[in-house]
C-alpha cells in the first residue's frame, strides 16, 4: 500500500479571527468600563480608544488588543496566499497591516493634555496605515475570489476609515475646531470604525474558509482507501460490500 502524506493545512482563519476579535473586544470593553468609573470620566464620544493609555493597565490592555488583531492578519495572509495565489499583493498588505498593529501596540499615544512625543508619532502614523491598508487588502481579495459582498463591505469600511483619517487632519496640523484640538464626536466615529473592522475580519475569514481547499477535512474512508476518493458514499459502500 502506498503512503500518502497528509495535505498541508493552514490554521482555520475563522477560528483565529473569532478568537482574536474576542480578545480585542474584551480588552476594549474592560478599558471602557474603567474609563466610565474613572474620575474624571473618560467620554467615549470625545476620546479615542488610544486615550485609555492614561488609565491604570491601559497600555498593557491596548497592546493585547492590537497584538490579537495582528495575529488575525497573519492567519488571513497565510490562508489568502493559498486561496487566491494570483492576488499576490493581498498577503503582503495583510502582513503590513499586522506589522502596523504591532507598532500601534508597542508605541502608545500621548495621554490627553500631554505634548506628543516620538512614540505618539509612531502610534499615530502606524494607526493611519492600518486603517488604510486593511480595506484595500480585503477589496483586492474579494475581487480575486469574485465575492461582491466582500468587496462591498471593504468599500464601506474604506469610506469609514477615510472619514476617520480626515478627521485627524486638524490634530496633525494643530488646528482647533470648535475650541478643541480634535473633531467633535471623534471617539464615536472611531468606535463605529472599529466595529466595522471586526466585522470585516470575520467576514473575510469566513470567505477564505469556504474557498481554501486545504481547510476541507478529508473523509476517513478516503484516507483508508485512496481508490475511493471522489466517489459518492453509495458507490463507496457498494465497493466495500463487493470486496
Amino acid at each position: 500500500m502506498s503512503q500518502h502524506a497528509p495535505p498541508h493545512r493552514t490554521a482555520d482563519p475563522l477560528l483565529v479571527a473569532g478568537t482574536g476579535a474576542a480578545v480585542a473586544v474584551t480588552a476594549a470593553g474592560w478599558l471602557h468600563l474603567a474609563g466610565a468609573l474613572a474620575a474624571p470620566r473618560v467620554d467615549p464620544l470625545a476620546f479615542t480608544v488610544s486615550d485609555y493609555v492614561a488609565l491604570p493597565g491601559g497600555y498593557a490592555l491596548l497592546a493585547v488588543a492590537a497584538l490579537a488583531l495582528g495575529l488575525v492578519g497573519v492567519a488571513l495572509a497565510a490562508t489568502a496566499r493559498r486561496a487566491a495565489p494570483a492576488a499576490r499583493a493581498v498577503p503582503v498588505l495583510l502582513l503590513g497591516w499586522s506589522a502596523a498593529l504591532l507598532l500601534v501596540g508597542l508605541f502608545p499615544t500621548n495621554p490627553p493634555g500631554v505634548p506628543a512625543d516620538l512614540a505618539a508619532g509612531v502610534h499615530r502614523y502606524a494607526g493611519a496605515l492600518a486603517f488604510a491598508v486593511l480595506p484595500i487588502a480585503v477589496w483586492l481579495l474579494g475581487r480575486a475570489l469574485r465575492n461582491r459582498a466582500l468587496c462591498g463591505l471593504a468599500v464601506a469600511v474604506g469610506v469609514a476609515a477615510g472619514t476617520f483619517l480626515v478627521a485627524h487632519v486638524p490634530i496633525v496640523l494643530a488646528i482647533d475646531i470648535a475650541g478643541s484640538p480634535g473633531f467633535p464626536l471623534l471617539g464615536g466615529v472611531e468606535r463605529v470604525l472599529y466595529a466595522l473592522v471586526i466585522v470585516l475580519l470575520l467576514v473575510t475569514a469566513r470567505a477564505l474558509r469556504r474557498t481554501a481547499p486545504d481547510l476541507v477535512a478529508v473523509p476517513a474512508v478516503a484516507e483508508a482507501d485512496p481508490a475511493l476518493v471522489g466517489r459518492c458514499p453509495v458507490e463507496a459502500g457498494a465497493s466495500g460490500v463487493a470486496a
Side-chain angles (χ1 to χ4, degrees), residues 41 50 71 80 123 134 138 147 160 162 168 176 185 229:
R41 173 178 172 271
S50 296
L71 290 177
H123 178 93
L134 182 62
V138 176
N147 189 325
H168 270 76
D176 287 352
L185 302 180
V229 175

Side-chain angles (χ1 to χ4, degrees), residues 67-180:
L67 294 178
L69 294 180
L71 290 177
V72 174
V74 173
L76 294 181
T79 310
R81 183 178 65 86
R82 300 173 65 85
R88 298 180 180 179
V90 173
V92 176
L93 290 173
L94 289 174
L95 290 176
W97 181 72
S98 296
L101 286 180
L102 176 63
L103 294 176
V104 167
L106 293 179
F107 294 90
T109 190
N110 54 294
V114 177
D117 54 9
L118 177 61
V122 173
H123 178 93
R124 177 181 300 160
Y125 289 106
L129 179 63
F131 280 129
V133 165
L134 182 62
I136 297 174
V138 176
W139 183 78
L140 291 174
L141 179 62
R143 283 177 57 89
L145 300 179
R146 297 183 180 180
N147 189 325
R148 292 185 178 181
L150 190 60
C151 289
L153 182 59
V155 170
V157 176
V159 171
T163 302
F164 179 71
L165 294 177
V166 169
H168 270 76
V169 171
I171 300 177
V172 177
L173 299 180
I175 298 176
D176 287 352
I177 294 182
S180 171

Side-chain angles (χ1 to χ4, degrees), residues 7-9 79 82-85 208-218:
H8 174 70
R9 296 184 182 182
T79 310
R82 300 173 65 85
L208 285 172
R209 188 185 193 189
R210 285 185 165 186
T211 304
D214 54 2
L215 294 180
V216 178
V218 180

